[in-house]
Amino acid sequence: NAGVTQTPKFQVLKTGQSMTLQCAQDMNHNSMYWYRQDPGMGLRLIYYSASEGTTDKGEVPNGYNVSRLNKREFSLRLESAAPSQTSVYFCASSSGTVQYEQYFGPGTRLTVT
Amino acid sequence: GQQVMQIPQYQHVQEGEDFTTYCNSSTTLSNIQWYKQRPGGHPVFLIQLVKSGEVKKQKRLTFQFGEAKKNSSLHITATQTTDVGTYFCAGPQGGSEKLVFGKGTKLTVNP
């Protein structure tokens, strides 16, 4: 039982490049989330998916797109990376929404130069 | 929009001292959750409080939910070096499906 897995662990991009961050969970959870964490800013929600086939914007969605490929997988895409997107990205999942605990993946450390 | 504030932002203690972090919401919360993130790690769920005035204990950690369900606290008795990390509170955003996290309190412990 791996929990929540994320790939890659580290990534360096040049401004304007694109990439997709992958996330998968094996806990049969309905809800999945993408957060970014910047120093002193805590965790900020980018997008979330309450169930397979649905997605919704969080606090900081600009510059990102998401795909809930199936119940297990939730990907985050940066179409044209900018230095302001340098951050640590965490994927999380939960059985339901706000009344359920969230399980986080190990994170992806992204640097945009 | 809803805000979840945490104080202090940083706390440095000597091993064996007590530690408390406070969480305040601008709106009434249906529940509040606490997470711990070790340096270089990911957030890990600690506990959820639901009832007004609720108090829960986990060994040396005591969690409280305020009577008005707008504030919460985490108290650690006799800190140890294993307590090092950042502690976050999080509450639901209004009637939505989103959790709003506080900015966290970073605890360092001097052995």
Side-chain angles (χ1 to χ4, degrees), chain B residues 24-93:
Chain B
N24 292 286
S25 170
S26 57
T27 60
T28 302
L29 301 171
S30 59
N31 69 79
I32 194 158
Q33 299 178 14
W34 286 91
Y35 292 78
K36 176 183 178 181
Q37 183 177 24
R38 295 182 186 274
H42 58 276
V44 175
F45 174 80
L46 292 177
I47 207 160
Q48 178 177 245
L49 305 171
V50 178
K51 299 177 183 177
S52 170
E54 189 169 15
V55 178
K56 287 189 176 180
K57 292 189 176 184
Q58 289 181 348
K59 296 183 180 179
R60 295 178 294 103
L61 278 61
T62 301
F63 302 85
Q64 292 189 329
F65 200 10
E67 294 290 341
K69 301 184 75 173
K70 294 181 72 174
N71 60 285
S72 181
S73 64
L74 158 59
H75 179 83
I76 302 178
T77 303
T79 54
Q80 299 176 358
T81 55
T82 53
D83 296 324
V84 164
T86 301
Y87 293 85
F88 294 97
C89 62
Q93 182 181 28

Side-chain angles (χ1 to χ4, degrees), chain A residues 37 57 98-99 102 105 109, chain B residues 33 35 37 42 48 98:
Chain A
Q37 185 174 39
K57 295 178 180 179
V98 294
Q99 71 273 34
Q102 295 188 9
R109 283 148 180 82
Chain B
Q33 299 178 14
Y35 292 78
Q37 183 177 24
H42 58 276
Q48 178 177 245
K98 308 172 193 177

